[in-house]
Amino acid sequence: AAEAATATARLAELSYPPTADELARYVAVDAAALPRTFKREPKQRVFANRALRCDKITYYGFDMDYTLAEYKSPQYESLVYDLVTARLVELGYPARLTELHYDPSFPIRGLVVDTELGNLLKVGQHGEIIVCYHGRVRLSKRQTLRHYPALQIHSNEIGGSRFSVLNTLFSLPECCLFADLVQLLERGDVVRDDVAAVVVAAAGAAAA
């Protein structure tokens, strides 16, 4: 205890930042000998990287990145899917959209959306098209060649107005709903629209 008290006093006497002379004369002390500031176990603590006046905060929110909250899958994706379809109905889409349901076996992270043709693409490291879906229908290589003669899209095209990447876990319901709407569009059950933009806008409104 005496050693810990001496070490604490020694730390309090240091300049901020410590001078070279102080650092040269500083004697390290085993961390276990220092007095415990926090009584909670480390796994139960919340760590911050700056001073935070909690008494000045009115509202607390959670960013959707698994930092403080763990999301249950596929329950979370199903909820987002249902909220977005409900929002689309409010925007004027047919009420039968609420009969659609999220299919956890269909979407995967990293697919590329072709908003011009309504396709979902699995693309390789060098832009080669590995798999192409139109709605829920997987296209053959011959069918894919009709849309993409080189069977490839360039990296500088991705992220533009036509091609976008669904690269997060939170885009899985968006991916599934995009395919479902394209499927309904091909059957004539919904009017033609900018499906991708509508899905993204509805997802933003539902999240809000």
Side-chain angles (χ1 to χ4, degrees):
E3 182 184 2
T6 302
T8 303
R10 196 179 299 145
L11 286 172
E13 294 170 359
L14 290 176
S15 306
Y16 185 79
T19 65
D21 183 58
E22 288 174 332
L23 291 175
R25 291 185 289 105
Y26 179 74
V27 179
V29 177
D30 187 358
L34 295 174
R36 294 188 61 182
T37 305
F38 302 98
K39 301 300 182 183
R40 294 179 180 176
E41 294 299 322
K43 64 180 181 180
Q44 296 178 325
R45 300 178 193 170
V46 175
F47 297 90
N49 59 4
R50 62 175 181 164
L52 189 64
R53 288 289 301 273
C54 291
D55 59 326
K56 300 296 184 182
I57 297 176
T58 304
Y59 300 101
Y60 294 86
F62 292 92
D63 193 9
M64 296 192 303
D65 59 2
Y66 291 86
T67 303
L68 295 177
E70 182 177 351
Y71 297 89
K72 295 182 179 180
S73 181
Q75 293 92 329
Y76 173 81
E77 291 83 9
S78 295
L79 175 61
V80 172
Y81 188 98
D82 293 342
L83 289 174
V84 174
T85 52
R87 180 57 179 156
L88 288 174
V89 172
E90 292 178 4
L91 293 174
Y93 274 67
R96 64 164 303 182
L97 260 63
T98 57
E99 300 174 7
L100 300 173
H101 298 287
Y102 176 70
D103 178 7
S105 67
F106 178 75
I108 60 172
R109 185 172 59 176
L111 295 180
V112 175
V113 178
D114 183 345
T115 60
E116 183 177 304
L117 299 180
N119 295 333
L120 289 170
L121 309 172
K122 183 176 182 181
V123 179
Q125 181 179 0
H126 303 291
E128 67 276 16
I129 297 174
I130 302 172
V131 178
C132 176
Y133 270 82
H134 186 73
R136 291 298 194 95
V137 179
R138 179 170 178 167
L139 303 186
S140 65
K141 184 175 181 179
R142 178 176 296 180
Q143 291 172 316
T144 304
L145 278 167
R146 294 174 188 169
H147 302 303
Y148 314 98
L151 280 181
Q152 187 177 33
I153 56 176
H154 295 288
S155 58
N156 58 1
E157 296 180 284
I158 299 176
S161 59
R162 177 176 176 180
F163 296 101
S164 60
V165 183
L166 303 175
N167 55 6
T168 70
L169 292 173
F170 304 105
S171 61
L172 296 182
E174 178 184 336
C175 173
C176 187
L177 184 55
F178 177 82
D180 289 343
L181 287 179
V182 170
Q183 194 74 13
L184 293 178
L185 178 65
E186 292 297 340
R187 294 208 310 249
D189 293 339
V190 296
V191 295
R192 182 165 184 83
D193 205 335
D194 186 355
V195 172
V198 170
V199 171
V200 171

